């Protein structure tokens, strides 16, 4: 893994400049706690109160909370130290798996699923889903660029986030199936 981590960081660091650093800090912010909790509350309100999609709104919150708890559990198990590089943003705690990558991938991946279920126009649905997945991937890249995670931390975060999103989708689909039979 060390060779992969070094090769990816070496490639990404070639693009470091003040403008790119500002962009990466912003992208990283979109995967951080303050933004995700705020966005979750907005989506919860829109789905639950305005659109009357109770289960969709409940699962958005469940997805975010579960991803956070799973990430905290995995960090406490692995206890991997952060890269010994210059950190271009503040980061605390253990490195593996990347919390921004895992939680961002889980959250934006689940929102892409909700978009799939609720947006009727195929062109808009495809565009929104693509943008959400690109954002989730960009958050991971930003964490490597900023020097606070190894590439393997980000990959681990993506795998953990995808697994959690799949679990949430299966649970959500099970409820939808059960409700259709009642």
């Amino acid at each position: 893994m060390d060779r992969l981590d070094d090769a990816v960081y070496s490639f990404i660091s070639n693009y470091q400049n003040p403008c790119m650093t500002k962009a990466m800090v912003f992208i990283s912010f979109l995967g951080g706690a303050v933004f995700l909790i705020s966005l979750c509350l907005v989506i919860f309100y829109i789905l639950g109160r305005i659109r009357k999609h109770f289960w969709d709104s409940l699962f958005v919150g469940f997805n975010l909370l579960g991803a956070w708890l799973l990430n905290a559990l995995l960090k406490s198990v692995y206890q991997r130290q952060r890269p010994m590089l210059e950190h271009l943003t503040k980061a605390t705690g253990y490195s593996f798996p990347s919390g921004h990558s895992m939680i961002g991938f889980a959250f934006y991946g689940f929102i892409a699923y909700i978009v799939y279920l609720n947006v009727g126009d195929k062109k808009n649905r495809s565009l929104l889903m693509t943008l959400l997945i690109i954002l989730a991937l960009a958050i991971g890249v930003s964490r490597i660029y900023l020097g606070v995670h190894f590439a393997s931390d980000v990959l681990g975060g993506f795998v953990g986030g995808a697994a959690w999103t799949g679990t949430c989708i299966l649970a959500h689909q099970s409820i939808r199936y059960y409700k259709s039979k009642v």
Side-chain angles (χ1 to χ4, degrees):
M1 274 307 187
D2 289 343
R3 288 189 358 202
L4 169 72
D5 291 333
D6 292 343
V8 171
Y9 181 75
S10 178
F11 175 78
I12 290 175
S13 67
N14 287 327
Y15 298 95
Q16 285 184 346
N17 64 63
C19 185
M20 182 65 82
T21 300
K22 286 181 185 176
M24 290 295 170
V25 167
F26 177 73
I27 291 169
S28 183
F29 170 77
L30 298 177
V34 171
F35 186 79
L36 288 178
I37 291 168
S38 301
L39 183 58
C40 182
L41 292 172
V42 169
I43 292 170
F44 186 84
Y45 178 78
I46 290 169
L47 287 174
R49 298 279 274 164
I50 297 173
R51 299 282 316 262
K52 307 297 184 206
H53 291 254
F54 173 75
W55 286 105
D56 292 357
S57 65
L58 184 68
F59 265 86
V60 168
F62 175 73
N63 171 271
L64 183 60
L65 178 62
W68 235 293
L69 293 173
L70 180 58
N71 184 261
L73 173 69
L74 291 172
K75 282 182 180 285
S76 71
V77 167
Y78 289 101
Q79 297 185 5
R80 184 179 193 188
Q81 298 303 313
R82 292 193 179 271
M84 301 300 279
L85 303 166
E86 177 187 4
H87 293 182
L88 302 177
T89 192
K90 184 181 175 197
T92 60
Y94 293 118
S95 188
F96 184 88
S98 165
H100 279 69
S101 300
M102 182 173 171
I103 297 162
F105 195 91
F107 183 77
Y108 291 117
F110 192 77
I111 297 302
Y113 162 73
I114 295 297
V115 165
Y116 174 78
L117 293 178
N118 292 292
V119 176
D121 180 70
K122 287 183 180 181
K123 189 175 183 179
N124 287 336
R125 179 175 57 217
S126 295
L127 177 64
L128 285 170
M129 291 174 67
T130 300
L131 290 173
L132 287 163
I133 298 305
I134 289 171
L135 174 58
L137 296 172
I139 289 167
V141 171
S142 76
R143 302 305 283 171
I144 299 167
Y145 175 96
L146 295 169
V148 294
H149 282 291
F150 298 104
S152 53
D153 298 336
V154 170
L155 289 174
F158 288 161
V159 169
W164 179 246
T165 298
T167 301
C168 289
I169 289 171
L170 286 173
H172 187 263
Q173 284 294 318
S174 297
I175 289 172
R176 287 170 56 99
Y177 176 78
Y178 174 75
K179 282 180 51 187
S180 72
K181 298 296 180 188
V182 174

